[in-house]
Amino acid sequence: MADHIRHAIEQGVLAEGDKVPSEAQLMQHYGVARMTIRNALQVLQGEGLTVAEHGRGVFVRSHPPVRRLASDRFARRHRERGKAAFIAETEGAGGKPSVDSIEITEERASAEVAEKLGISSEDHVIRRSRRYLINSQPVETAVSYIPADIARDTQIAQPDSGPGGIYARLEELGFRLDHFVEEIRSRMPLRDEMRALKLAPGVPVFHLVRTAYATDGRAVEVCDTVMSSDAYVLSYELPAR
């Protein structure tokens, strides 16, 4: 039964937001007990394909697709047009981007962040935490760490970092960006991540850690990002030479 319903979702017979037939309808169709139906529906919810709404029924889970173009999303031309990467890529996919839960603090760098930034664990960083949404649905959380000697008392340390985001501000401060290094792995979300991203059971996340380097070789930002895996397609163009 779970296979049949999954196939209907994959083929678009049941589209995102559609209501799955009720337990009574499925019992009559398959000629099985209610508990068997519930077990099948639980399998689909565990796979992140459906979501149960109390008093309303079970629905095909909606998720906004976004294509992240790794070779393009941090292109300088986006910043020059006043658009940060998330805004550019989301609008390019036809979505409406927004950001909330912005928190900014100054703190000592953790050992891992200090190592990536090439600073001492006694040094301070500006920590920018935020949540990204597409069409009002949360899809990503991100925490940036920028050396405090760069970001303190600048717009980077303000809730609104301005047109083009913090990368545009870094370049205005004289740190022209040269390249980025990303490390990506897939894992199951932590409880707080499930809550922040409103993830259905069984949906994994991409955990991406990015380090931004200026042309002089200095690391100027580390960004620790958690993304709902069913909201993104990671698409890369790699040279064969």
Side-chain angles (χ1 to χ4, degrees):
M1 287 178 288
D3 289 343
H4 289 170
I5 298 173
R6 185 188 304 107
H7 182 72
I9 294 172
E10 292 172 347
Q11 296 300 311
V13 176
L14 287 173
E16 292 184 8
D18 283 355
K19 186 175 182 179
V20 175
S22 68
E23 291 182 1
Q25 290 172 317
L26 292 172
M27 287 169 60
Q28 182 177 14
H29 179 77
Y30 288 105
V32 296
R34 185 179 300 273
M35 186 55 66
T36 303
I37 296 297
R38 289 182 176 177
N39 288 340
L41 293 176
Q42 191 62 44
V43 169
L44 297 171
Q45 290 181 53
E47 294 174 353
L49 293 175
T50 62
V51 60
E53 297 186 13
H54 184 69
R56 297 190 61 223
V58 177
F59 295 82
V60 179
R61 185 169 180 263
S62 300
H63 52 85
V66 171
R67 182 173 297 275
R68 291 178 63 91
L69 302 176
S71 59
D72 173 74
R73 69 185 188 274
F74 297 120
R76 184 166 287 106
R77 67 178 183 275
H78 298 315
R79 297 192 292 278
E80 291 175 346
R81 291 201 297 262
K83 293 187 177 182
F86 180 76
I87 294 175
E89 69 191 8
T90 302
E91 291 181 346
K96 181 181 179 182
S98 58
V99 184
D100 70 4
S101 304
I102 301 173
E103 296 180 2
I104 303 170
T105 57
E106 180 172 332
E107 59 188 45
R108 283 186 176 179
S110 68
E112 182 179 4
V113 168
E115 180 180 2
K116 289 183 178 296
L117 288 175
I119 61 177
S120 166
S121 58
E122 297 296 315
D123 291 331
H124 281 217
V125 292
I126 298 299
R127 180 184 186 272
R128 290 183 58 91
S129 175
R130 63 274 192 201
R131 183 175 68 164
Y132 293 99
L133 303 90
I134 300 174
N135 301 336
S136 300
Q137 181 174 331
V139 296
E140 175 182 333
T141 62
V143 182
S144 287
Y145 302 91
I146 306 98
D149 66 318
I150 293 176
R152 186 187 291 125
D153 299 326
T154 73
Q155 198 167 356
I156 293 173
Q158 300 300 315
D160 183 357
S161 59
I166 62 174
Y167 290 158
R169 303 291 80 74
L170 284 168
E171 296 204 312
E172 288 173 355
L173 291 168
F175 298 94
R176 186 173 177 83
L177 297 175
D178 180 74
H179 68 281
F180 304 87
V181 175
E182 292 188 340
E183 302 169 359
I184 307 173
R185 63 188 178 99
S186 178
R187 60 170 172 79
M188 297 308 296
L190 305 177
R191 183 175 300 177
D192 288 348
E193 294 166 348
M194 289 188 66
R195 187 161 43 244
L197 296 176
K198 298 183 180 180
L199 296 174
V203 177
V205 293
F206 293 126
H207 184 189
L208 183 154
V209 178
R210 178 176 63 254
T211 306
Y213 292 88
T215 53
D216 63 359
R218 181 177 181 180
V220 293
E221 182 230 20
V222 170
C223 187
D224 191 320
T225 304
V226 176
M227 302 180 292
S228 175
S229 64
D230 63 352
Y232 287 92
V233 174
L234 303 182
S235 177
Y236 295 93
E237 179 178 334
L238 303 174
R241 59 184 184 278

